[in-house]
């Protein structure tokens, strides 16, 4: 599983990578996950339905991440009322 | 004579030093601040088109890996993504009662696929306040992907976070109508092209672009 974070001026960066079946690596993933959530990020898991439909699932804790998920993508939380020029 | 000239030269140097000292002190202090900021990693870096281009390339690759091939082609060819609305009684999909157009760094526009009528603008942003390169703005395709993920994961929440306005507040309604027409024609072309990997999948909405009307 990879934890990715969107970053201005860079694109995504890999925060952590590991096998959730390996306790030590899972611990590192959980710590990185919590750090991002504490920093105010939203976490999403891209999913693919058997029909081929692609969607995402917002998760609020590592326990909600499907064990077979390949990636969790962190991105800044949504904020309304952006400046008129940027929307 | 020599003594007088030497004295005058010394006085001149001292005077010039006194005059220049405040300016030099300010310049030195500014240099020190910049150097310290650079060491902390939050220097006010200038715009680097190469860095921005690489960031956008990474963002496009990430977006492509998350959406269907058809949606990727839509974004690549048209510059926006269409996401079907999921809160209506018809459910999400090509028969949905409404849909959204996602533009990079512009409000999300809701519209009726059957008529082309524009419904609302949802102004939402994903500012990264850590400003790693002096800007809180995600690359264009990351902004689109963030909207897509938030919308497909929890449409009600994203709409709740956004500021809702009538069409035309920030996005030119005529442009959106033209984009809806472009999308329809694009989908018709795809449907007619059996070689396209995206052909024949959820393309038809039964909407006639010639019947488009003002919101």
């Amino acid at each position: 599983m990879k934890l990715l974070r969107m970053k201005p001026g860079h694109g995504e960066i890999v925060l952590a990578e590991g096998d959730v079946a390996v306790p030590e690596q899972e611990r590192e993933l959980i710590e990185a996950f919590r750090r991002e959530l504490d920093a105010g990020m939203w976490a999403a898991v891209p999913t693919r339905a058997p029909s081929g439909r692609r969607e995402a699932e917002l998760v609020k804790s590592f326990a909600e991440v499907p064990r077979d998920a390949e990636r969790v993508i962190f991105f800044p939380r949504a904020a309304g009322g952006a400046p008129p020029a940027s929307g | 004579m020599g003594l007088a000239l030497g004295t005058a030269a010394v006085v001149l140097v001292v005077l010039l030093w006194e005059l220049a000292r405040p300016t030099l002190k300010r310049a030195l202090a500014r240099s020190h601040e910049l150097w310290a900021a650079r060491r902390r990693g939050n220097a006010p870096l200038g715009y680097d088109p190469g860095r921005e281009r690489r960031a956008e390339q990474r963002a496009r690759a990430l977006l492509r890996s998350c959406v269907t091939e058809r949606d990727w082609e839509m974004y690549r060819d048209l510059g926006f993504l269409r996401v079907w609305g999921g809160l209506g009684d018809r459910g999400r999909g090509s028969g949905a009662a409404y849909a959204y157009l996602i533009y990079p760094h512009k409000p999300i526009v809701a519209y009726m696929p059957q008529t082309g009528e524009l419904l609302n603008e949802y102004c939402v942003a994903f500012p990264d306040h850590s400003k790693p390169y002096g800007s809180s703005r995600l690359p264009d395709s990351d902004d689109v992907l963030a909207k897509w993920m938030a919308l497909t994961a929890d449409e009600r929440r994203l709409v709740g976070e956004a500021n809702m306005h009538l069409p035309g507040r920030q996005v030119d309604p005529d442009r959106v109508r033209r984009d809806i027409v472009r999308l329809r024609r694009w989908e018709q072309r795809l449907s007619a092209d059996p070689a396209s990997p995206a052909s024949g999948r959820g393309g038809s909405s039964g909407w006639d672009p010639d019947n488009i009307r003002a919101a």
Side-chain angles (χ1 to χ4, degrees):
Chain A
M1 182 186 294
K2 273 186 185 176
L3 305 189
L4 308 174
R5 175 178 170 169
M6 293 178 181
K7 192 173 172 184
H10 190 280
E12 90 276 10
I13 55 170
V14 180
L15 299 167
E17 185 172 3
D19 185 344
V20 291
V22 179
E24 192 172 319
Q25 292 181 23
E26 185 185 26
R27 207 162 36 245
E28 287 173 11
L29 289 168
I30 291 171
E31 283 171 11
F33 189 97
R34 282 182 182 153
R35 271 198 306 274
E36 293 308 307
L37 251 55
D38 288 347
M41 296 285 127
W42 278 1
V45 180
T47 61
R48 184 200 301 259
S51 63
R53 173 181 288 185
R54 308 290 294 265
E55 290 184 342
E57 185 183 339
L58 288 180
V59 289
K60 292 175 183 165
S61 73
F62 193 80
E64 292 179 17
V65 179
R67 300 292 286 179
D68 60 349
E70 293 175 4
R71 297 172 297 181
V72 180
I73 301 175
F74 294 91
F75 57 104
R77 62 174 299 128
S86 67
Chain B
M1 180 66 181
L3 182 64
L5 280 174
T7 305
V10 168
V11 169
L12 189 64
V13 166
V14 169
L15 278 174
L16 285 173
W17 168 248
E18 284 301 315
L19 283 173
R21 196 169 61 168
T23 309
L24 284 172
K25 272 179 78 173
R26 275 198 301 273
L28 274 173
R30 176 73 185 142
S31 301
H32 182 72
E33 280 172 15
L34 280 174
W35 181 74
R38 214 160 265 149
R39 285 195 65 184
R40 287 195 303 269
N42 57 356
L45 300 174
Y47 176 72
D48 176 353
R51 188 185 64 235
E52 298 295 329
R53 190 174 55 81
R54 289 190 296 276
E56 177 57 19
Q57 283 173 343
R58 285 192 196 98
R60 286 173 76 86
L62 184 64
L63 173 63
R64 185 176 188 176
S65 72
C66 292
V67 301
T68 62
E69 191 60 22
R70 181 194 181 91
D71 281 349
W72 162 250
E73 289 176 2
M74 183 191 300
Y75 180 65
R76 181 197 62 197
D77 295 348
L78 303 175
F80 57 84
L81 267 185
R82 188 258 328 273
V83 173
W84 297 109
L87 299 178
D89 52 7
R90 297 188 208 166
R92 180 167 283 158
S94 57
Y98 64 98
Y100 300 99
L101 296 183
I102 300 178
Y103 295 94
H105 296 294
K106 294 261 185 246
I108 297 169
V109 179
Y111 74 104
M112 306 272 285
Q114 297 295 327
T115 61
E117 182 179 356
L118 307 187
L119 299 174
N120 296 303
E121 288 182 5
Y122 294 96
C123 188
V124 64
F126 299 89
D128 186 336
H129 298 296
S130 66
K131 297 184 178 178
Y133 290 95
S135 169
S136 63
R137 195 175 151 109
L138 293 172
D140 284 358
S141 297
D142 272 352
D143 181 71
V144 168
L145 178 57
K147 287 171 179 161
W148 179 87
M149 290 194 296
L151 211 45
T152 59
D154 195 341
E155 180 181 342
R156 199 181 294 275
R157 182 179 182 185
L158 184 69
V159 165
E161 295 279 351
N163 282 343
M164 188 182 79
H165 300 291
L166 291 174
R169 164 107 173 184
Q170 292 187 50
V171 182
D172 178 6
D174 290 336
R175 177 198 159 166
V176 179
R177 290 187 195 102
R178 282 196 300 273
D179 284 344
I180 294 171
V181 172
R182 287 171 63 220
L183 173 59
R184 178 64 181 158
R185 290 184 178 145
W186 180 84
E187 290 188 310
Q188 285 171 342
R189 270 201 309 276
L190 272 192
S191 301
D193 178 10
S196 166
S199 66
R201 290 207 307 266
S204 176
S205 65
W207 172 70
D208 180 353
D210 296 330
N211 286 340
I212 194 164
R213 62 187 173 88

